[in-house]
Amino acid sequence: MQNTDTKRRNVIKAIGASIAASTLSAPFVNVFAQEQNFKGKTLRFLTWSDDTGLAALRNIAASFSEKTGAKVIADRADGTSGMVAKLKAAGSKPQYDVITLAGVGASGLADAGLLMQPDLARLPNLKDVAPEHRSGANGFGVGYLLWTNGLIYNTSTFKAPPSSYEALWDQKYSGRIFLPPPSWVEAVDLAIIAAKLSGGSQKNIDPGFKKLAQLKDRILMLGENPNQVAELFRTNALDLGGIYSPAFFPVAIKKPEYKMGVTYDMKEGFAAQLMYTVIPKSHPGDLDLIHAFINHTLDPVVQGKMAADVLNGPVNTKAAIPAESSRYVPSTRQIAEKAQIHDDKALAAVQSEWVRRYTEIFSA
């Protein structure tokens, strides 16, 4: 089973990402012609040390080298916090050309003045990416995948996937549900969902915590350990849980004996967070090469392979996702119609208090 880096899901109190749609300048630079001139050049790439990072090396870095002749030297770090630490430790000494990381890390590096803004006109694949998914972190990050959270359900319990988060409050599943732990950003999103179900909102969160309190004696566990969650589904001890990402168990969820399914088709929508590619301000490589690499991360074939491997949502609307993985990844229709990216910047001021309230409900 995949050893997913769950630490990068933790709420980072001091950082709020600004998810802002960016417009594309025109005409595009002819990246495809330039790609023929990269043989002998080197790009230094920093990514995660977990299986998501391995997938990036396999599907992005290796295919880029094969396509262009460029050499990609990869380094890996333990989570987004590890990547942030590596770049900050380097200071003004150029070490990396491109980094893939979570939104909070991109925003933190941008706020620290360690990133340069990419030239979106050099990224022709962005034409197939929805404006709200193109850019963020105050314009310093290019969205390359969506971390998506849905409801995980027992396929032997449900004849059809749940169509509403209200299923978590159905008494017949009492004692057989799990929720995200308080320190994870999934818990923050669940509080917002609960508020909306009760007539509240992100700005009016009290109804959400009142509704969550109804689940206090109905949960079997908080899903701190994804391997444990998967085993409880396998032994038929869990019926339902969330919000949670199948990316935590991309191997187990595909095995029939685990009886795990995921749905994103709730009528209320589903929570998503952009993950970014960024360019360090001090970088040793050629900017044409760097932009060509970032453009390659958005290639529809590359997007499909990454989505299939790590069970994240693609941002390219033409992503070609293999059929055997499509049931675990939100479709482009679902992403367009139902993906909800929360207001990270506004959450930065309140999330520590929300974590405290969530903890008090489920630790007593």
Side-chain angles (χ1 to χ4, degrees):
M1 189 175 298
Q2 183 187 33
N3 181 22
T4 306
D5 174 21
T6 56
K7 287 185 287 186
R8 74 169 177 264
R9 311 301 309 136
N10 289 352
V11 175
I12 299 179
K13 298 181 178 64
I15 301 174
S18 176
I19 309 295
S22 295
T23 57
L24 298 178
S25 55
F28 282 120
V29 174
N30 191 343
V31 172
F32 303 112
Q34 291 177 341
E35 286 175 351
Q36 307 309 311
N37 301 319
F38 294 145
K39 187 173 182 179
K41 293 189 176 182
T42 298
L43 180 134
R44 289 165 174 80
F45 176 45
L46 178 62
T47 189
W48 289 286
S49 61
D50 65 3
D51 283 3
T52 300
L54 284 175
L57 298 183
R58 180 171 59 251
N59 297 318
I60 301 175
S63 60
F64 182 75
S65 292
E66 183 178 357
K67 180 180 180 182
T68 66
K71 181 179 180 180
V72 178
I73 298 176
D75 191 9
R76 300 163 70 200
D78 184 15
T80 291
S81 60
M83 286 183 265
V84 170
K86 275 180 175 282
L87 189 60
K88 287 185 174 180
S92 60
K93 183 180 179 181
Q95 284 196 356
Y96 304 109
D97 297 308
V98 179
I99 305 173
T100 54
L101 73 174
V104 288
S107 296
L109 291 174
D111 290 345
L114 296 175
L115 301 179
M116 69 169 289
Q117 288 196 342
D119 181 354
L120 301 189
R122 298 189 186 195
L123 308 175
N125 282 326
L126 276 181
K127 69 182 185 300
D128 296 319
V129 177
E132 63 271 22
H133 298 152
R134 289 173 184 163
S135 180
N138 295 321
F140 288 91
V142 176
Y144 90 107
L145 281 177
L146 281 166
W147 180 275
T148 50
N149 291 301
L151 287 177
I152 309 296
Y153 65 93
N154 189 316
T155 55
S156 64
T157 301
F158 291 85
K159 293 182 179 179
S163 60
S164 170
Y165 294 106
E166 284 287 3
L168 290 169
W169 282 266
D170 192 321
Q171 283 279 9
K172 63 184 173 185
Y173 307 123
S174 182
R176 296 177 58 84
I177 65 172
F178 78 95
L179 302 179
S183 62
W184 290 13
V185 72
E186 282 80 0
V188 170
D189 282 323
L190 181 60
I192 295 172
I193 288 165
K196 291 179 178 179
L197 290 173
S198 304
S201 65
Q202 181 173 325
K203 294 182 178 180
N204 178 21
I205 201 66
D206 285 348
F209 281 106
K210 289 179 181 178
K211 190 170 182 66
L212 285 175
Q214 297 172 15
L215 299 178
K216 176 180 178 181
D217 299 319
R218 301 186 197 176
I219 65 168
L220 179 64
M221 66 178 299
L222 297 176
E224 184 77 41
N225 186 331
N227 290 349
Q228 184 182 21
V229 172
E231 283 301 308
L232 288 170
F233 272 98
R234 187 183 65 81
T235 57
N236 214 36
L238 282 171
D239 287 328
L240 182 66
I243 59 174
Y244 218 74
S245 177
F248 287 128
F249 19 63
V251 176
I253 200 170
K254 295 179 181 179
K255 295 181 177 181
E257 62 266 31
Y258 281 87
K259 303 182 288 289
M260 299 170 72
V262 60
T263 179
Y264 297 101
D265 226 3
M266 283 74 68
K267 64 183 181 182
E268 301 91 359
F270 67 91
Q273 297 126 37
L274 270 174
M275 293 188 287
Y276 295 110
T277 306
V278 299
I279 307 172
K281 181 178 288 186
S282 297
H283 55 269
D286 180 278
L287 271 176
D288 288 338
L289 176 65
I290 290 170
H291 281 87
F293 183 86
I294 296 175
N295 188 62
H296 186 67
T297 70
L298 300 171
D299 177 87
V301 175
V302 171
Q303 286 268 300
K305 289 180 178 179
M306 283 297 295
D309 270 10
V310 300
L311 303 188
N312 288 153
V315 295
N316 190 314
T317 58
K318 295 182 179 179
I321 301 171
E324 63 270 19
S325 298
S326 60
R327 72 179 68 180
Y328 310 110
V329 176
S331 67
T332 54
R333 175 195 64 81
Q334 290 171 326
I335 290 172
E337 296 177 0
K338 295 179 177 288
Q340 299 178 3
I341 299 178
H342 62 215
D343 185 346
D344 289 295
K345 196 166 187 178
L347 283 176
V350 298
Q351 57 196 15
S352 60
E353 173 64 12
W354 290 16
V355 168
R356 182 191 65 78
R357 294 178 68 176
Y358 190 101
T359 301
E360 286 180 353
I361 290 173
F362 296 109
S363 64

